[in-house]
Each structure stands twice: as C-alpha cells, then as structure tokens.
C-alpha cells in the first residue's frame, strides 16, 4: 500500500546515498563502499515509515555498528535526510517528518554506538585470547626444543652391563654442569652402573667452577657406588686444570675412550677379545 | 615466525588503520607515527580491503568453488569466507598471532582453513593447498595487499609456480602500488619505519606487473578507486599530500 511519503523515497534515497558515498572513506575497512547504495535505500525506507520505522532504525543501527559505519557518515546522512524533509510544502507535514527523521537517526545512532562498543570489546577479547594462545604454543615449542637439546647434550649410553659412557660435546657452563650432574645420577640409579666414563674429548674449555662441579658429580657418583673415569682431557684443559690447581686425585683419568672402556671392562671382569 | 608483543606488527597496524580493534598499544603508537608521514595510508588500506570484497562478491556470483589467499591477515567481516560461504577458502599468513586469532574466528566455519606459511615458501604453500583444494579445478587466487611487500625475484617465482599449479580457467586478483609523488624526507622516513617492521615496500608500474606476473594474462587493470566508483571521494581526501601513491587492482587469468 502506498504511504503518504512514498513520493519522497527516491529523493531521500539519492540524497542519503550521496552523503554516504562522500564520507565512505571514514567507515571501517569492513564496510565496503559498494554496500552503501543498499544501505541508503534501507535508510530512506525506514525514515519515511512513520508508523513502524523506529524499531527498524534500531535494528539497522546495530547492523551498521557491526559493519563499521562511522558516526561521521551517519551524521552526513542525517543532514541530507533532514534537508529533504524540510523541503515539504505543508508546514505540519514538514514538522512531523523532520521530527520523525531526527527520532529515527537518534535511535539508529544509539544502537550503532552500542553495537560498536560491543564489537570493539569482542575484538579486544579475541585478540587477547589469540595473544595468550600464541604465547602458550610458542612456550610449549620452546620447552620441547630445550628438552630435546638437554637430552642430546647429555647422552648417557650403556656400553656393557654396569658401564655407562657420557660423551660431552661443547662448552660446559654451570647450568649445563648441573644438568649433567642430575642426568648422570639418574642414569647411574637406572642402570645400576658400577663404572661411568665421562669423555670430554669434545669439550674445548673448562673453568674452575665447571671442573669443581664435575668433581662434585664424581663424588656424588661414588656415594651411589660408582666409579668415575674421566677421559679425553685435551692439552689445553690439562694446562688449565694444572694452572687452576684443581684436584682430580679422586678421579681415574685415562687418555681416551678406547682405553677407558678396556679399563672399565677389566674392572668388571670382562674384556674384548678377537673371535 | 615468532611473536613479540613488545614490538609492533605490520599486520596489526594494517588492522588499526582499517579501523579495527585487533591490535595492541604498541601497534597503535607505531601506526600513528607512520600516519604522520603517510596520511593516505588508511584510505589506501580501505580501497584494498573493499577491492577484496568486490572481487569476492564477483567470484561468488561466478560460482567459484575454491579460493587460495596469500598474506590474508585477520579474517574479519568482509573477507572471502563471509562473501563466499559456499566456497572452500585457504587463507595463509606468516604471523602466528593472526593464525591464533583466525582459529577462534573460523572455529565454526569448516570450509575456511588457515595455514601459517610465508608466501615466499610458495612450493610448500602450494603443496599444502593441494591437500585442501582441488588443483585440477579452477582456483581463484587472492594476492591483494601483498605484492608491494615482495621482491621481484619472489614475485616471478610465485607467478610461475601458481601458474603451473593452477588449472586452466583459474584467476588471480592482485593489488599493487605505484608511487606518483615522493617527498624526499617524509617518504624515506616512512620507508625506513616500514623497513623496521620487516615490510620493505616496492613501487611498480602496470607494465612491470604484466611482465613480473607472466605467463598470467592481465584481463582488467585500473586504479582501485575506479573499481569502487570512489574517484571523487578519494581525490578529495588525498589531494595535496606530500607523498602520493596510486593503488591499482588487476585481474589475471590462467589460459589453456
């Protein structure tokens, strides 16, 4: 059924469309400019529906808030719509329509701002969750990597019953020395080791505190009933140890891994013989 | 590809200039510094995003069934999965937080997938795409808002690899930047700021784009404001700026 304002629909729509288009770049990136003619048509229809327009204005306002229409754009549309309403010849009709248009925009803006607030809060929460989830995932990956490095940097290899070999490669700081201590004592208990060979051929440097930590490891191993053989001491480390006055008398030292294994087998009543 | 929330991220800065809230203080502060040097940035970003939506709607009308999108950013309202609900979408990005965000947003959208990959690893990306999409069917490839961060050699490699991977009838939509006017001081400061964010930018002419993307055939190419019918509004907002850039959108086709 035709309403009294149907003939105003076209000029209203065109004026609102022009206003929305000229302010398109103030909208959020989520509201594409080519959607604006459709919005202008809906807006014109709602504003001219004096009987049932307000609830629809609230609905459209919420939708526009979600889509990202700016207040600047809505106010430009409001001005354009009021200008159109003010063109009515009859003073009474003009007053009624201007008031209705302003009421419509007031409702629409209220709903838009409310929805914008909700949307902004929703995005903020999602972003925080994404941040914490990413940090947690990254931490898990780092922990797994650290654990793998730890396993690889302190490999404990049983070579015969009661004999363990711990080849060490790379520099040893106090943190790593502590890990070596922990892993070795666990390994001794697990394998019931009588002899543990620590091969430091691959260790380029060692300072006093590291040497002392290794000595403490040897003492702790002794308390568990194991004997420690230290082999592969390079010339540089030998010089450092002498220079620093570190006492290695509690340790059995051998030149290399081969002689250490032979010695360890001999100590346990075994030997490697050709077939 | 790790996360450091104390440092600004170009993807979240992009979201901020688009008016989004998927960003942190550190991003907003850096964005404001960039905006002082490049006040047109928000307008260029909007044109880019609206071009994507325009192309998505066109592809939806054409009945495109699968989309492979490069450097997707946040899958917010208006991205491919919202405009093309019937198509299978594979998004990709190299920012872990974007992926974490996407996993939440796309949790109820089974036809949209998101992978953490850099477009420069194009072979790996395409082999992943082969597991989620059907390469023997035409694919629509999104390359919007990305090409100007990629070096020539990689662009050539990406163009060649996607051409070999995609079946005849596939198409690609891309946008690219061409600098028209540069202010000596502010432009180099802006470039430096973007470089600090790992976003070196490359300006290219239409001719260079045709050459770099061969054997893809350029079927439509014009400025984004022309694609969107916003010539007047864009000129009004951007006239008289110290640095002027044109942003173009192109559609490319993979022939037989």
């Amino acid at each position: 059924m035709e309403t009294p304002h149907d003939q105003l629909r076209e000029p209203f729509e065109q004026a609102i469309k022009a206003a929305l288009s000229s302010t398109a770049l103030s909208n959020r990136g989520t509201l594409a400019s080519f959607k604006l003619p459709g919005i202008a048509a809906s807006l014109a229809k709602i504003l001219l529906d004096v009987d049932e327009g307000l609830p629809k204005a609230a609905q459209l306002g919420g939708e526009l808030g979600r889509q990202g229409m700016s207040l600047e754009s809505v106010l430009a549309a409001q001005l354009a719509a009021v200008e159109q309403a003010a063109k009515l010849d009859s003073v009474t009709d003009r007053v009624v329509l201007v008031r209705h248009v302003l009421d419509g925009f007031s409702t629409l803006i209220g709903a838009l701002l409310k929805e914008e607030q909700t949307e902004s809060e929703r995005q903020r929460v999602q972003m925080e969750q994404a941040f914490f989830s990413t940090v947690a995932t990254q931490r898990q990956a780092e922990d797994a990597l650290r654990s793998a490095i730890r396993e690889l940097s302190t490999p404990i290899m049983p070579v015969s019953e009661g004999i363990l070999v711990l080849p060490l490669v790379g520099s040893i700081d106090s943190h790593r020395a502590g890990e070596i201590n922990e892993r070795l004592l666990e390994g001794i208990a697990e394998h019931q080791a009588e002899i543990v060979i620590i091969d430091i051929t691959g260790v380029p440097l060692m300072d006093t505190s590291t040497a002392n930590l290794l000595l403490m490891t040897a003492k702790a191993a002794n308390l568990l009933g194991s004997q420690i053989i230290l082999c592969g001491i390079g010339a540089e480390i030998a010089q450092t140890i002498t220079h620093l006055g570190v006492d290695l008398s509690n340790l059995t030292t051998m030149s290399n891994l081969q002689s250490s294994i032979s010695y360890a087998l001999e100590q346990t009543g075994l030997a490697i013989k050709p077939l | 590809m790790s996360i450091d929330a104390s440092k600004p991220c170009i993807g979240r800065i992009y979201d901020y200039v688009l008016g989004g809230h998927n960003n942190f203080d550190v991003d907003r502060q850096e964005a404001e510094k960039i905006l002082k040097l490049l006040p047109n940035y928000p307008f260029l970003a909007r044109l880019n995003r609206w071009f994507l939506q325009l192309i998505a709607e066109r592809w939806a009308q054409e009945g495109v069934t699968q989309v492979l999108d490069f450097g997707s950013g946040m899958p917010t309202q208006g991205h491919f999965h919202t405009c093309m609900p019937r198509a299978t979408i594979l998004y990709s990005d190299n920012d872990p937080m974007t992926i974490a965000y996407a996993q939440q947003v796309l949790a109820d959208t089974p036809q949209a997938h998101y992978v953490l990959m850099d477009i420069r690893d194009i072979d790996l990306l395409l082999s992943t795409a082969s597991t989620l999409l059907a390469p023997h069917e035409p694919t629509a490839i999104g390359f919007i808002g990305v090409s100007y961060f990629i070096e020539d050699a990689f662009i050539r490699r990406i163009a060649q690899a996607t051409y070999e991977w995609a079946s005849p009838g596939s198409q690609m939509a891309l946008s690219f930047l061409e600098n028209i006017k540069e202010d000596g001081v502010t432009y180099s400061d802006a470039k430096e700021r973007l470089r600090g964010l790992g976003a070196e930018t490359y300006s290219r002419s239409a001719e260079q784009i045709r050459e770099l993307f061969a054997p893809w055939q350029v079927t439509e190419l014009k400025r984004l404001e022309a694609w969107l019918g916003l010539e007047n509004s864009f000129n009004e907002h951007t006239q008289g700026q110290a640095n002027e850039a044109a942003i173009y959108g192109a559609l490319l086709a993979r022939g037989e």
Side-chain angles (χ1 to χ4, degrees):
Chain A
M1 200 177 77
E2 190 163 301
T3 69
H5 297 312
D6 270 358
Q7 71 279 13
L8 297 175
R9 175 89 63 87
E10 180 64 21
F12 253 70
E13 190 178 322
Q14 290 308 319
I16 293 171
K17 190 172 130 185
L20 292 182
S21 176
S22 67
T23 51
L25 286 164
S26 65
N27 296 326
R28 288 209 306 265
T30 41
L31 179 56
S33 56
F34 57 87
K35 304 263 186 196
L36 298 176
I39 292 171
S42 304
L43 205 43
K45 191 174 172 193
I46 288 168
L47 292 171
L48 294 171
D49 185 353
V50 178
D51 299 327
E52 295 171 11
L54 287 185
K56 290 176 186 166
Q59 201 181 341
L60 182 64
E63 186 52 40
L64 295 179
R66 259 190 303 282
Q67 290 185 23
M69 181 167 280
S70 69
L71 199 53
E72 181 187 339
S73 212
V74 178
L75 292 175
Q78 178 179 263
L79 181 63
V82 169
E83 277 173 3
Q84 287 303 312
K87 285 180 184 170
L88 278 181
D89 290 334
S90 150
V91 175
T92 314
D93 286 353
R94 198 188 309 157
V95 169
V96 168
L97 188 58
V98 167
R99 188 172 292 158
H100 179 70
V101 166
L102 288 174
D103 284 350
F105 272 103
S106 169
T107 306
L108 184 142
I109 289 170
L112 180 143
L113 293 177
K114 191 175 165 201
E115 190 55 41
E116 195 178 64
Q117 179 70 26
T118 308
E119 177 66 15
S120 121
E121 184 60 19
R122 191 180 61 78
Q123 288 186 17
R124 195 185 60 74
V125 169
Q126 279 177 332
M127 205 57 199
E128 268 177 18
Q129 284 172 348
F131 172 71
F132 289 123
S133 147
T134 314
V135 169
T137 308
Q138 202 163 302
R139 213 163 268 165
Q140 276 171 9
E142 282 168 7
D143 286 349
L145 185 64
R146 205 170 291 129
S147 167
I149 291 170
R150 185 171 170 256
E151 298 275 324
L152 292 169
S153 65
T154 319
I156 294 177
M157 301 184 293
V159 290
S160 178
E161 200 175 329
I163 303 174
L164 294 180
V165 172
L166 173 64
L168 296 176
V169 177
S171 56
I172 300 172
D173 58 10
S174 55
H175 177 72
R176 190 174 169 207
E179 281 190 348
I180 291 168
N181 187 24
E182 193 183 320
R183 293 260 302 147
L184 184 63
L185 297 179
E186 280 169 12
I188 288 170
E190 187 187 339
H191 297 281
Q192 301 282 302
E194 290 173 41
I195 297 177
V196 178
I197 302 166
I198 301 178
D199 180 6
I200 59 166
T201 311
V203 178
L205 288 168
M206 194 181 288
D207 61 14
T208 327
S209 61
T210 312
N212 282 330
L213 276 164
L214 281 176
L215 286 173
M216 282 173 65
T217 303
K219 279 181 190 164
N222 283 339
L223 288 173
L224 292 179
S226 294
Q227 182 191 349
I228 298 282
I229 300 170
L230 188 63
C231 71
I233 302 174
E236 207 168 326
I237 291 182
Q239 272 184 342
T240 312
I241 287 172
T242 316
H243 184 68
L244 295 172
V246 178
D247 181 13
L248 295 180
S249 60
N250 285 343
L251 287 174
T252 305
T253 54
M254 305 291 288
S255 60
N256 57 37
L257 185 58
Q258 191 183 1
S259 56
S260 301
I261 291 173
S262 299
Y263 174 80
L265 288 171
E266 200 181 301
Q267 291 293 303
T268 52
L270 299 166
I272 298 171
K273 288 186 177 170
L275 289 170
Chain B
M1 288 192 268
S2 66
I3 175 180
D4 183 351
S6 66
K7 290 183 183 161
C9 158
I10 188 70
R12 297 195 301 267
I13 288 173
Y14 187 69
D15 174 76
Y16 174 70
V17 300
L18 280 171
H21 302 283
N22 296 306
N23 44 68
F24 298 123
D25 265 345
V26 68
D27 306 308
R28 295 188 277 274
Q29 284 166 16
E30 183 64 23
E32 289 301 333
K33 288 176 191 161
I34 295 173
L35 289 176
K36 280 193 182 131
L37 301 165
L38 298 174
N40 291 349
Y41 185 21
F43 306 131
L44 297 174
R46 276 165 176 71
L47 293 184
N48 233 346
R49 184 45 81 99
W50 295 343
F51 174 59
L52 185 152
Q53 293 183 41
L54 185 75
I55 292 299
E57 299 234 330
R58 186 192 273 206
W59 283 346
Q61 280 167 12
E62 287 173 8
V64 166
T65 56
Q66 50 184 17
V67 177
L68 170 58
D69 189 46
F70 297 143
S72 311
M74 305 282 178
T76 47
Q77 181 70 31
H79 220 315
F80 285 115
H81 70 283
T82 59
C83 303
M84 304 173 70
R86 290 203 187 97
T88 305
I89 316 286
L90 176 57
Y91 291 118
S92 62
D93 205 289
N94 63 0
D95 175 38
M97 207 190 297
T98 298
I99 309 296
Y101 175 84
Q103 279 165 352
Q104 291 180 58
V105 174
L106 302 176
D108 299 324
T109 317
Q111 80 278 14
H113 311 272
Y114 213 125
V115 289
L116 177 62
M117 280 185 195
D118 195 304
I119 189 179
R120 293 175 184 85
D121 288 331
I122 189 65
D123 293 329
L124 183 62
L125 188 42
L126 291 176
S127 63
T128 304
S130 296
T131 65
L132 293 162
L133 305 175
H136 56 278
E137 304 270 343
T139 304
I141 299 174
F143 201 176
I144 297 170
V146 188
S147 76
Y148 37 83
F149 294 127
I150 313 278
E151 305 85 328
D152 280 3
F154 281 110
I155 293 272
R156 276 203 181 86
R157 177 77 200 101
I158 291 162
Q160 190 64 43
T162 48
Y163 191 86
E164 284 163 13
W165 177 85
S167 66
S170 294
Q171 46 186 323
M172 183 190 285
L174 70 93
S175 63
F176 63 94
L177 269 178
E178 184 179 28
N179 291 341
I180 292 173
K181 190 174 80 181
E182 292 167 15
D183 170 69
V185 177
T186 54
Y187 183 70
S188 58
D189 282 358
K191 283 270 281 185
E192 197 50 49
R193 283 218 161 267
L194 289 168
R195 193 176 293 129
L197 295 165
E200 177 84 38
T201 48
Y202 301 90
S203 163
R204 296 183 176 105
S205 68
E207 220 31 63
Q208 283 172 306
I209 287 292
R210 283 178 208 277
E211 187 264 316
L212 284 170
F213 278 88
W216 285 92
Q217 286 287 317
V218 175
T219 54
E220 280 182 81
L221 188 152
K222 53 190 167 186
R223 285 176 69 146
L224 290 190
E225 58 268 32
W227 277 97
L228 295 158
L230 284 175
E231 294 95 326
N232 293 341
S233 180
F234 183 75
N235 289 341
E236 236 172 70
H237 280 82
T238 58
Q239 252 173 7
Q241 303 287 354
N243 296 296
E244 206 180 317
I247 188 160
Y248 290 83
L251 266 180
L252 284 65
R254 194 234 189 266
E256 294 299 323

